[in-house]
Amino acid sequence: MKQLTALQQQARRSNSFRSASLPLDTSVDGAIKSPATIFWLVLHGLCCLISLVLGFRFSRLVFFLFFSTSSPSATTNLYSALHTRLPSSITTSPPAVNGTAVAVDGGSRVVVGRHGILIRPWPHPDPAEVMKAHHIIERVQREQRIQYGVKSPRTVIAITPTYVRTFQTLHLTGVMHSLMNVPYDVVWIVVEAGGTTNETAALISKSGLKTVHIGFNARMPILWEDRHKMESQMRFHALRYVREKKLDGIVVFADESNMHSMELFDEIQNVEWIGAVPVGILPHSGGSEGVELSAVSREDTDKNENSEMPVQGPACNSSNQLVGWHTFNMLPFMKRRARYVGDRAVVLPRKLEWAGFILNSRLVWKDVEDKPAWVKDLDMVGREGEDIESPMSLLENPSVVEPLGSCGRKIMLWWLRVEARADSKFPARWIIDPPLDVTVPAKHTPWPDAPPELPTPVVKVISIPENTEKRVAKRSRKRSSRSKRKRVPKVLEEHVSTRHSGDN
Amino acid sequence: MRNWRCVFSMVVYFAFCFSIEAYKFQRTQQTERISGSAGDVLEDDPVGRLKVFVYELPSKYNKKILQKDPRCLTHMFAAEIYMHRFLLSSPVRTLNPEEADWFYTPVYTTCDLTPNGLPLPFKSPRMMRSAIQLISSNWPYWNRTGGADHFFIVPHDFGACFHYQEEKAIERGILTLLQRATLVQTFGQRNHVCLKDGSIMIPPYAPPQKMQTHLIPPSTPRSIFVYFRGLFYDVGNDPEGGYYARGARASVWENFKNNPLFDISTEHPSTYYEDMQRAVFCLCPLGWAPWSPRLVEAVIFGCIPVIIADDIVLPFADAIPWEDIGVFVPEKDVPKLDTILTSIPIDEILRKQRLLGNPSMKQAMLFPQPAQPRDAFHQILNGLARKLPHDKSVYLKPGETILNWTAGPVGDLKPW
C-alpha cells in the first residue's frame, strides 16, 4: 500500500508540475508557450534518464533545490552535519529537555516534505555520558529493589571457618567476592584454626566488609573426618561470638570452598527462625567417576533428584510443607572417598551440611523473650567433645525448619572441597620475595610420590627419599663410586633428618 | 434526640478523619496521583454526567463490514468497533434521544483493509457522508445543531482527513460535514489542518490481553538504557530517507547505532514486551504520522516514553500531564539525544517512573473487554462530559443551515 503511495505521489507531482506551469506560461507570454512546455518536458525526461542511471530520484533533488520555498534550516540540508554549533549547543540544551519549551509561535513550524537527516560529526558515545547513564541505571535498580525487593533487609552474618594453607587464598577470595556483591549489610566472621595469623588478616582486610577475625586454638587435622568435626566446632565458636555480641541478622554458614549465588542471599531474607536451602553436592572430580555416578544414581532416584548431582536439602509434599530430608548417600562413594586432606579422591560431605541451614541470629541469644520454645540454649548444646553435626542439634523439634528455595527445588548453593596436599608449600601472602633463583635441575629433586605422614599408629616404611637437598645428592654420588653397602645406612640417616625438617 | 445528634456528628467526624487518613495513605504510597491541566480527572466516573444516544444504522455501515474482515478487531484502529460495543451496553446510553447530550454514529470507516492489513481510506469519506445523510433525514437531531452535539470516532492516520499520506490529507482537510461535530481521533498535531479544536485524542488500540501475558516480575532490574524496535528507513516508500518521519528516525539510527546504551534495531524479537519492561527509556518517534502504539506500550510497561514528534498532541492531554511523565525531544535535537537523556536529574527520572507506576495511568491507555472503570472508554466519556453543557449557539434556528453538503472533492459526493 505504501508503494501505491509512492507511485501515486510521483504521478501527482508530475501532474501538478505541468498543471502549475501551464497557467503560468499562458499568463506571461503566449508566444513562448509551447517551447517552454517542451523545454520542461525535455528537462523532466532527461532527469528521469539520469535518475535511472544513478539509481535515485534525481529530478526531485533538482526541483527541490531550485524551487523549494523558504523552510526551516533542516529542510535545506541533505545528510548534513551540525558542525560548529555542537559544542556551544550542548551547554544550551537544558531548555530543550523540558517539553514545555516547545513554543507555539502562531504558525506551525512543522513542514511536510523532505527533511535532512541530522548527523553530528562524531556519532560515538561520550565516556562521561556513558558513566552518567550507568549511574542512572544503578539508581533506578536500587529504587526497584527498595520497591519490589525485600522490604526490610536484615544483616547477613556469614561464618567461615578457615586455616592457612595453599588453597586458602583461592577459596577465601571466592567467598569474599561473593559477600562483597551482596546488596545487604554483611558481617563476616572468620574463624581461623591455629589462632589468627597475619596472612588471613591481610586477605580479609581487602574485602571492605565488616569483618571479625576469631582465632580457634587448635590445629586443623589432616583427616577429613576430623576436619569436619573441627569445622563444626569452629562454627559453634562463632555462634558463641554472635550470642555474646548480640549480633542481629541472618546467620549463613559460608564455607570457604562453597559456591554461593546472589539469589541465595535474596532468598534467605525470607527466613523467620531457621530455614534450610538445598545444597548441590559436587563430590566427584569429573571424568570416569562421573559416568559411574550417574549409573548409580539411577538406582536411588528417590534420594537423588533427576540430575546426576546429589542434592542435600528439605523435601516437601505438594502443599509445600516439610516432610523429610534429602541427605547425602555415601554408599556409592565409599571405596573412593578421600581420607586425608590432599588425597586425590572424592571428598564427601556429611549427611546434612551446615551450609544448608540458615539461622535467625536471635535463636542463639540468651534471655530473649520471643525466642521460640523449640530451640535449645546454646550453652546446653556443644559441651566439650560432643560432635555437633548440624544446626539441627539446636532444635528440640526438627519439623520447625522452614524450607526455602521454592521448597527445595531451586539450588543456589554448591558444596565442594578441593585441597592441595597438607604439606604443600606456598609463598607467604603469595608474594614472591626475594625473587626466584635458578632452581635445581629437576632430575635431582624427584617428585614425591609418597603420601605425607599421617597421625595413625600404622608406620609406613618409606622407600623413596623426599625433600632431598643438593648436598645429600652430591654426597651420595661421591660415595657411589666407593662402596654401595656403606652408603645405604648413612643416606637413610640423612633422610630421616631431612624428613623431620620438612614435616608440617 | 440529642443522643442521636451526637452520634451523627461523631460519625461525620470519624468519616472526615478517615478520609484524611486515606488521602494521606495514598500520598505516601509509591505512586503519585496523576493531575492534568483539567485536575484529577482520570478517576472521574462519567456515569450520571452525560447521556449518549446511539443511532441505529443499517448493518452495512458496521456489522457487515466487520464480518467481511474480522482483522479489524485486532489492528490499531479497532477502537471504533470496541467503542460502539461499549456504548451499546453502557449505563450512559439512553434510548430516548430527547434527553441525550451526545449522539453517536456507529460507522466503521477504517475497516476496509488491504491484504496486508492496512486500511484504505479511499471510500471512507463517502461512507461517512452517506451515514450522515441517513441520520439527518431519519432523525431531526443532526439538523437541529448542524452536528455540533454529535461525535464520531475516526482513529485513522490523519483523523477525519481520511488519507494516509500527509500532503494529500492536508489538501483534503477535514470532511466538511464534520466541521461542527466532535471528533475522537488518534491523530494530534498542533496547528495542523486535520486537528480540529475541541477534538478528543485517544490512544491507538493495543491488545490488553496480549500485553498482560507478557508481564515479568517488577523486581527484574531495568538494565537497558534506551530501547527501540522499528523501522528507521521505510525502504519501500522512501529509500533515501528524509521523508519518512521527517528524517528523525534515520537520524536516531545514524547517530546512535554504535552506542551501547541504545538498544535499537529493526528486528522484531519475540521478547519485545519483556525487553520494554527491562528498559529505562523507550523511544516513541513519529513515523508517517506522529502517533504510535509505542506510547501505549511504554506506559503499560513502565518505560519512560521519549517522544520525538514536534507539536504532537498526546492522548487525553487535558487529563494526563504528559510533560511530567515523558521526555519530549524536538526533532532538531535528536543528534544530542544521549546528552539530553543522561542529563535529566535522577529525581525526575524516579518521579516519572512513579507516575508511570500509577495504575490509573495504565488503565487510561487501554481498551479492555469487557470495559473496566477508568479505562480509555471512560476517559473518552469524561472528555465528552467536560465539554458539557452545550453552548446555546450550537442550536441552529429552524431553517438555518450552516453545512455545505456539496463541498469537497467530486469523488466524495458519489453515494456509497
Side-chain angles (χ1 to χ4, degrees):
Chain A
M1 192 212 80
K2 291 287 188 202
Q3 278 162 340
L4 198 75
T5 322
L7 282 169
Q8 280 186 341
Q9 240 174 351
Q10 241 182 345
R12 295 238 191 269
R13 211 170 253 277
S14 50
N15 277 341
S16 60
F17 198 124
R18 272 188 224 122
S19 55
S21 56
L22 274 172
L24 186 77
D25 287 339
T26 48
S27 64
V28 170
D29 193 0
I32 59 164
K33 180 170 77 168
S34 26
T37 51
I38 293 171
F39 169 68
W40 282 118
L41 273 169
V42 167
L43 184 65
H44 187 69
L46 199 65
C47 290
C48 282
L49 275 171
I50 296 175
S51 26
L52 253 174
V53 170
L54 283 178
F56 67 89
R57 283 186 290 243
F58 173 71
S59 59
R60 281 171 162 259
L61 184 61
V62 172
F63 174 68
F64 180 73
L65 284 176
F66 288 149
F67 296 104
S68 65
T69 52
S70 66
S71 41
S73 59
T75 60
T76 53
N77 302 331
L78 202 63
Y79 291 98
S80 70
L82 288 177
H83 355 262
T84 52
R85 283 179 41 129
L86 189 60
S88 54
S89 53
I90 288 177
T91 52
T92 56
S93 68
V97 174
N98 282 337
T100 50
V102 176
V104 178
D105 44 11
S108 170
R109 300 172 300 128
V110 183
V111 181
V112 187
R114 185 167 294 282
H115 293 244
I117 300 173
L118 306 169
I119 308 176
R120 65 185 198 210
W122 180 247
H124 292 285
D126 173 26
E129 279 167 19
V130 173
M131 275 322 293
K132 270 200 265 186
H134 281 288
H135 286 313
I136 291 175
I137 293 177
E138 199 258 335
R139 182 69 186 84
V140 165
Q141 288 185 0
R142 202 168 0 131
E143 188 69 27
Q144 273 185 290
R145 243 202 309 274
I146 293 171
Q147 280 205 22
Y148 303 110
V150 180
K151 283 303 161 199
S152 44
R154 293 177 277 177
T155 311
V156 172
I157 303 170
I159 295 181
T160 307
T162 182
Y163 68 107
V164 178
R165 76 259 190 222
T166 313
F167 274 33
Q168 183 202 29
T169 311
L170 174 75
H171 294 317
L172 211 55
T173 313
V175 175
M176 187 165 80
H177 287 172
S178 301
L179 292 175
M180 278 159 77
N181 272 332
V182 172
Y184 312 109
D185 294 326
V186 174
V187 173
W188 191 20
I189 302 179
V190 179
V191 188
E192 188 169 355
T196 58
T197 59
N198 287 338
E199 176 103 16
T200 315
L203 198 52
I204 61 179
S205 63
K206 282 190 236 165
S207 65
L209 301 167
K210 220 169 112 192
T211 49
V212 176
H213 192 185
I214 307 177
F216 191 73
N217 290 324
R219 298 272 299 272
M220 190 65 93
I222 289 185
L223 289 181
W224 276 107
E225 277 288 325
D226 300 334
R227 184 174 149 167
H228 286 304
K229 289 198 187 119
M230 167 144 302
E231 278 178 4
S232 304
Q233 286 176 351
M234 285 160 78
R235 291 186 193 110
F236 213 79
H237 192 64
L239 283 177
R240 278 198 213 103
Y241 179 87
V242 169
R243 176 193 175 91
E244 222 178 293
K245 301 287 174 182
K246 281 207 165 0
L247 293 180
D248 194 11
I250 302 174
V251 175
V252 179
F253 297 103
D255 293 345
E256 277 183 302
S257 45
N258 286 359
M259 268 136 303
H260 312 88
S261 94
M262 287 302 116
E263 295 161 334
L264 173 72
F265 296 103
D266 290 327
E267 182 74 16
I268 61 176
Q269 295 284 340
N270 297 330
V271 83
E272 210 192 309
W273 288 112
I274 175 165
V277 284
V279 183
I281 308 293
L282 305 170
H284 51 278
S285 39
S288 55
E289 294 168 359
V291 174
E292 275 186 68
L293 178 66
S294 55
V296 169
S297 71
R298 251 179 266 128
E299 291 168 28
D300 4 348
T301 43
D302 55 333
K303 282 279 175 70
N304 308 332
E305 278 147 351
N306 294 334
S307 61
E308 285 85 30
M309 182 176 78
V311 174
Q312 266 185 11
C316 295
N317 61 6
S318 49
S319 52
N320 285 347
Q321 285 168 339
L322 184 71
V323 291
W325 296 93
H326 289 298
T327 58
F328 187 70
N329 180 22
M330 288 193 231
L331 292 175
F333 302 96
M334 283 318 255
K335 294 192 211 117
R336 293 174 286 138
R337 60 181 305 184
R339 288 188 51 242
Y340 55 86
V341 174
D343 190 4
R344 261 189 258 146
V346 170
V347 181
L348 301 179
R350 312 175 95 186
K351 282 238 198 72
L352 282 175
E353 276 291 322
W354 280 74
F357 288 93
I358 317 292
L359 305 179
N360 185 340
S361 65
R362 286 172 196 252
L363 280 179
V364 300
W365 289 5
K366 54 179 157 193
D367 311 327
V368 173
E369 316 79 44
D370 53 346
K371 225 159 74 157
W374 39 258
V375 68
K376 298 185 204 160
D377 194 47
L378 201 70
D379 290 334
M380 299 299 142
V381 192
R383 301 254 187 236
E384 294 306 315
E386 188 185 305
D387 178 28
I388 316 138
E389 239 201 60
S390 75
M392 299 266 272
S393 32
L394 281 173
L395 310 171
E396 312 250 356
N397 175 11
S399 63
V400 294
V401 178
E402 302 147 36
L404 298 174
S406 75
C407 208
R409 279 185 288 269
K410 187 164 181 200
I411 300 176
M412 295 169 284
L413 175 61
W414 292 267
W415 185 97
L416 177 64
R417 291 282 181 267
V418 177
E419 292 294 345
R421 288 173 58 112
D423 56 350
S424 66
K425 298 265 201 289
F426 65 99
R429 295 192 206 180
W430 289 96
I431 296 172
I432 297 176
D433 185 33
L436 291 170
D437 267 347
V438 174
T439 49
V440 178
K443 61 185 174 183
H444 293 295
T445 51
W447 192 261
D449 271 339
E453 178 168 324
L454 300 175
T456 54
V458 178
V459 175
K460 289 190 180 163
V461 176
I462 298 165
S463 45
I464 303 167
E466 49 171 308
N467 291 345
T468 48
E469 293 181 76
K470 222 161 120 181
R471 284 170 267 144
V472 176
K474 275 195 179 156
R475 264 184 244 146
S476 62
R477 254 194 294 145
K478 276 186 187 161
R479 289 206 195 95
S480 62
S481 57
R482 293 180 188 177
S483 66
K484 286 188 182 173
R485 258 180 281 149
K486 277 186 191 166
R487 198 197 68 188
V488 172
K490 266 217 169 143
V491 169
L492 251 175
E493 273 176 48
E494 300 282 359
H495 292 163
V496 167
S497 59
T498 53
R499 214 185 332 122
H500 281 305
S501 66
D503 222 14
N504 237 11
Chain B
M1 194 56 184
R2 233 203 226 152
N3 276 344
W4 181 84
R5 229 184 273 165
C6 269
V7 167
F8 182 74
S9 56
M10 292 280 277
V11 165
V12 168
Y13 174 69
F14 276 120
F16 183 67
C17 284
F18 281 134
S19 66
I20 296 280
E21 281 302 314
Y23 182 69
K24 272 199 245 161
F25 176 66
Q26 257 183 330
R27 288 288 218 128
T28 55
Q29 266 183 330
Q30 302 293 0
T31 57
E32 257 182 63
R33 271 184 95 76
I34 309 268
S35 185
S37 54
D40 274 352
V41 290
L42 269 188
E43 321 215 338
D44 282 354
D45 190 9
V47 175
R49 292 170 61 203
L50 80 165
K51 294 238 169 280
V52 177
F53 176 73
V54 182
Y55 283 122
E56 290 271 330
L57 289 185
S59 56
K60 74 165 179 169
Y61 290 100
N62 30 52
K63 292 210 189 69
K64 286 231 182 86
I65 302 180
L66 186 56
Q67 268 169 358
K68 248 191 278 178
D69 199 342
R71 280 179 302 178
C72 290
L73 283 172
T74 48
H75 69 175
M76 49 186 169
F77 310 105
E80 55 182 6
I81 303 171
Y82 291 120
M83 189 68 188
H84 182 204
R85 293 187 182 178
F86 164 70
L87 282 172
L88 283 176
S89 53
S90 158
V92 302
R93 183 192 184 187
T94 167
L95 297 167
N96 177 9
E98 289 302 323
E99 61 169 14
D101 301 306
W102 287 100
F103 294 83
Y104 172 63
T105 317
V107 51
Y108 302 165
T109 51
T110 346
C111 207
D112 182 16
L113 304 184
T114 63
N116 277 349
L118 294 164
L120 289 173
F122 303 122
K123 294 196 201 138
S124 310
R126 288 162 52 200
M127 200 196 298
M128 186 62 86
R129 199 190 165 73
S130 149
I132 295 177
Q133 269 171 338
L134 197 78
I135 60 175
S136 63
S137 46
N138 290 357
W139 286 275
Y141 307 104
W142 178 270
N143 292 326
R144 185 172 69 167
T145 54
D149 52 357
H150 290 59
F151 70 92
F152 295 85
I153 312 226
V154 281
H156 193 240
D157 283 357
F158 288 98
C161 292
F162 293 122
H163 211 279
Y164 48 78
Q165 208 186 314
E166 195 166 356
E167 288 159 328
K168 289 254 127 273
I170 293 177
E171 229 181 86
R172 296 182 59 102
I174 297 182
L175 198 68
T176 9
L177 288 176
L178 294 175
Q179 70 187 65
R180 285 171 66 86
T182 296
L183 298 175
V184 179
Q185 58 188 50
T186 53
F187 170 75
Q189 191 174 306
R190 279 187 278 270
N191 303 312
H192 196 278
V193 173
C194 298
L195 179 63
K196 199 162 85 70
D197 224 2
S199 300
I200 296 177
M201 241 64 59
I202 59 170
Y205 176 75
Q209 286 301 97
K210 192 168 161 210
M211 293 200 285
Q212 287 295 326
T213 51
H214 285 274
L215 286 177
I216 61 176
S219 54
T220 314
R222 290 189 186 262
S223 45
I224 303 174
F225 193 59
V226 177
Y227 187 77
F228 176 74
R229 288 288 184 275
L231 290 177
F232 299 103
Y233 293 94
D234 188 349
V235 191
N237 301 295
D238 178 33
E240 302 115 75
Y243 215 111
Y244 176 56
R246 294 197 276 270
R249 286 194 185 199
S251 179
V252 167
W253 174 251
E254 298 299 336
N255 282 302
F256 302 112
K257 61 187 175 195
N258 295 319
N259 195 325
L261 294 173
F262 283 67
D263 186 355
I264 57 180
S265 143
T266 48
E267 305 260 323
H268 202 287
S270 52
T271 52
Y272 175 62
Y273 289 143
E274 286 87 345
D275 290 340
M276 269 195 153
Q277 291 169 75
R278 294 195 302 118
V280 179
F281 291 104
C282 288
L283 294 184
C284 302
L286 71 161
W288 286 106
W291 56 269
S292 139
R294 279 185 189 84
L295 184 70
V296 178
E297 287 160 0
V299 168
I300 302 292
F301 295 129
C303 179
I304 300 175
V306 178
I307 296 146
I308 307 170
D310 286 346
D311 285 346
I312 188 174
V313 181
L314 289 174
F316 306 128
D318 50 350
I320 300 176
W322 286 105
E323 297 83 27
D324 293 341
I325 291 173
V327 180
F328 286 80
V329 177
E331 285 165 32
K332 64 174 173 48
D333 284 338
V334 167
K336 294 181 261 169
L337 190 60
D338 53 351
T339 317
I340 293 172
L341 291 179
T342 50
S343 53
I344 302 176
I346 185 68
D347 296 318
E348 243 186 75
I349 293 180
L350 292 176
R351 177 164 181 258
K352 287 182 204 284
Q353 291 199 318
R354 274 199 301 275
L355 284 167
L356 281 170
N358 195 335
S360 56
M361 178 72 204
K362 297 190 210 269
Q363 240 343 34
M365 290 282 116
L366 288 175
F367 292 96
Q369 266 79 52
Q372 287 162 14
R374 300 197 293 267
D375 63 7
F377 298 117
H378 291 89
Q379 301 304 332
I380 297 174
L381 292 178
N382 279 337
L384 289 169
R386 283 196 286 276
K387 295 183 82 178
L388 291 175
H390 293 295
D391 195 37
K392 287 286 171 253
S393 61
V394 305
Y395 292 101
L396 304 175
K397 295 190 213 38
E400 182 190 347
T401 46
I402 282 189
L403 295 175
N404 184 352
W405 287 76
T406 50
V410 182
D412 284 357
L413 299 173
K414 284 191 272 188
W416 184 76

